[in-house]
Amino acid sequence: AMSIENGSAIHEVWLDGSEALEPVRRIRERFPSAFIAQLTSDGSLIESSHPWLKLGGEPEEVARRLFRHIVPSIEVALAPAPGDEAGDGGAPPGRRCAKCYVTVEGVENFATTMAEIKAAAGDGWEVRQVKQLLPGGITNTCEVQSSRVNKADCLAALCRAIDIPMANVWAFGDDANDALMLTQAGWGVRMANHLPSLEGVGDDVTRYTNQEDGV
């Protein structure tokens, strides 16, 4: 959450590069052919072999804007080179990381693949399928995010900053990572196209979907 007035951060949660590296290593061990992109505070990383860099047109342009640093390997980029403060071949010490995106091509049942990715990532990590990151959509891709990061904490911090009780807030969501926010907000509303995992969460549901401007 950021202040519109001056752009300062009201609430942010970042992982150290070494912490973000651990699930990436375990996922790669299970899926050696996976393609990985990592969100960071300094422009984000994407592997040079990633198929998003070969899409052409607007989808590729958006991917290159989202992930400005093209690297041979996410593991190498996240691991600081010993004794090298500039991170020559590795990340500068203290690189701040958010979620990563894992793409596994050529699988017929991606739900099963996500379950395996979740098991590989281990406790403390959430895995969700992503379909709309790039124009035209993407396939066989999921995000891997620390369980410590959630929208409810961000919303609570925003409420404290502008002195509004959570009880006076309406929150809208459609995905599993919205569940806690919809529960803690004064009035939690599921979108009509919400995932099955949100069934019964919150207080209400919209008549229309995201695509139909349901909010």
Side-chain angles (χ1 to χ4, degrees):
M2 300 187 70
S3 167
I4 295 176
E5 182 179 2
N6 56 26
S8 62
I10 295 173
H11 179 79
E12 56 182 344
V13 178
W14 296 98
L15 307 179
D16 183 81
S18 60
E19 185 179 2
L21 175 60
E22 293 310 309
V24 169
R25 281 177 169 163
R26 293 191 291 267
I27 292 168
R28 181 81 73 188
E29 183 177 349
R30 176 62 186 84
F31 295 96
S33 62
F35 301 98
I36 300 177
Q38 174 73 55
L39 291 181
T40 69
S41 63
D42 61 347
S44 300
L45 312 167
I46 189 169
E47 294 174 327
S48 56
S49 60
H50 204 297
W52 293 352
L53 300 179
K54 305 176 180 65
L55 291 172
E58 185 182 8
E60 180 178 334
E61 291 176 6
V62 172
R64 290 180 181 272
R65 287 200 302 268
L66 287 174
F67 304 96
R68 300 204 307 268
H69 304 300
I70 300 174
V71 298
S73 162
I74 293 296
E75 293 94 311
V76 172
L78 290 181
D84 183 3
E85 293 185 357
D88 188 12
R95 168 170 268 161
R96 302 189 301 170
C97 298
K99 68 183 74 174
C100 74
Y101 297 94
V102 180
T103 300
V104 183
E105 294 189 313
V107 296
E108 295 183 1
N109 189 336
F110 192 64
T112 299
T113 301
M114 284 199 301
E116 295 182 44
I117 291 172
K118 167 67 174 171
D123 294 338
W125 298 92
E126 302 296 331
V127 175
R128 292 178 289 271
Q129 187 167 9
V130 178
K131 297 182 179 180
Q132 301 298 328
L133 185 64
L134 303 179
I138 53 179
T139 59
N140 288 10
T141 297
C142 61
E143 63 180 28
V144 180
Q145 185 174 46
S146 170
S147 301
R148 301 204 321 265
V149 180
N150 67 79
K151 297 178 182 179
D153 287 349
C154 184
L155 181 59
L158 177 60
C159 287
R160 288 192 298 270
I162 60 179
D163 196 25
I164 292 179
M166 281 277 279
N168 291 356
V169 173
W170 285 43
F172 295 78
D174 63 356
D175 205 342
N177 63 341
D178 297 316
L180 188 60
M181 176 182 67
L182 296 184
T183 301
Q184 294 188 2
W187 195 256
V189 185
R190 305 182 306 280
M191 300 304 299
N193 59 308
H194 67 79
L195 295 184
S197 58
L198 273 190
E199 189 63 41
V201 175
D203 307 285
D204 207 344
V205 61
T206 62
R207 178 179 300 180
Y208 301 106
T209 68
N210 292 357
Q211 292 72 27
E212 298 168 324
D213 297 327
V215 173

